[in-house]
C-alpha cells in the first residue's frame, strides 16, 4: 500500500521514533508499505515517521546508482562512522523541491534487525552510507535541514515556503 508522505511541519517528523519491541507481521507489512511508497516517490530511502508511524523502521535502495541490494532495517543505529567526511547534495521526500550540500561521515557501520528479526551489521560507503545516515536521522527527529548552517537553513526554508505557497495557489 502506498502511504501519504508527511511534509515539513508535521510534528511526527520532529519526534524521536519508538523502538520496535518485536518484529512481527505488522512490522513486515509496514516495511512493505515503506518500500512501495519509496518507489512510488522515486526516493532512495524512507523512514516510518515520514509516513506518520513513529517506529524505528527504515528502508533504503541505492541499486540504481550502486547496484546494492534494497535494505529494510528495524531499530537501526549507527555503530561506527569514519572520521573522513563527504559533502554531497541531499534532498528529502518530506521537504520536496529543496536540496543542499550536507557534510556527513563517508563510511558507516549500522547495526539493526532485518525483517525476519535477525541481527545484521553492515558497512556502507557512498550513497548507501549517506542514505542510511539520512534515514536514521529521521528516526531521531532530525531533518537534513538541521545539518545546514543557519543561513543555508533559512534560505532553504524560504524556498520551501515559496514552493508550498505556489502549490497551494494552483
Amino acid at each position: 500500500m502506498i502511504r501519504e508522505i508527511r511534509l515539513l511541519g508535521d510534528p511526527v517528523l520532529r519526534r524521536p521514533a519508538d523502538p520496535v519491541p518485536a518484529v512481527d507481521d505488522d512490522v513486515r507489512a509496514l516495511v512493505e508499505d515503506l518500500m512501495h511508497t519509496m518507489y512510488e516517490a522515486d526516493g532512495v530511502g524512507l523512514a516510518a515517521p515520514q509516513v506518520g508511524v513513529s517506529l524505528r523502521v527504515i528502508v533504503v535502495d541505492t541499486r540504481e546508482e550502486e547496484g546494492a541490494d534494497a535494505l529494510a532495517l528495524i531499530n537501526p543505529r549507527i555503530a561506527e562512522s569514519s572520521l573522513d567526511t563527504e559533502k554531497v547534495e541531499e534532498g528529502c521526500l518530506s521537504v520536496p523541491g529543496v536540496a543542499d550540500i550536507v557534510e556527513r561521515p563517508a563510511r558507516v557501520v549500522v547495526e539493526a534487525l532485518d525483517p525476519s528479526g535477525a541481527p545484521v551489521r553492515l558497512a556502507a560507503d557512498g550513497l548507501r552510507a549517506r542514505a542510511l545516515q539520512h534515514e536514521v536521522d529521521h528516526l531521531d527527529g532530525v531533518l537534513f535541514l538541521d545539518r545546514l548552517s543557519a543561513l543555508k537553513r533559512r534560505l532553504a526554508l524560504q524556498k520551501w515556503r515559496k514552493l508550498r505557497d505556489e502549490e497551494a495557489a494552483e
Side-chain angles (χ1 to χ4, degrees), residues 68-133:
D69 291 337
L71 295 171
L73 300 174
I74 293 96
N75 296 331
R77 70 177 196 85
I78 307 291
E80 299 173 26
S81 56
S82 64
L83 294 177
D84 55 320
T85 61
E86 293 178 337
K87 294 180 180 181
V88 178
E89 187 175 74
E90 282 186 34
C92 181
L93 295 174
S94 291
V95 193
V98 177
D100 211 320
I101 303 296
V102 177
E103 184 173 13
R104 293 190 185 270
R107 289 177 301 287
V108 295
V109 174
V110 175
E111 295 176 343
L113 300 175
D114 70 14
S116 71
V120 294
R121 181 177 167 92
L122 60 103
D125 59 10
L127 178 61
R128 188 176 221 184
R130 180 163 294 276
L132 286 166
Q133 292 172 80

Side-chain angles (χ1 to χ4, degrees), residues 31-51:
V31 164
E32 189 172 314
D33 289 354
L34 287 171
M35 286 285 192
H36 289 302
T37 304
M38 174 183 66
Y39 293 137
E40 178 72 17
D42 292 324
V44 297
L46 192 65
Q50 290 181 274
V51 297

Side-chain angles (χ1 to χ4, degrees), residues 8 95-100 144-145 148-163:
L8 179 65
V95 193
V98 177
D100 211 320
F144 86 97
L145 298 172
L148 302 177
S149 70
L151 174 60
K152 284 188 167 199
R153 184 171 37 258
R154 189 168 37 256
L155 292 171
L157 288 170
Q158 286 173 354
K159 181 177 182 180
W160 161 251
R161 286 185 198 102
K162 182 180 178 194
L163 289 169

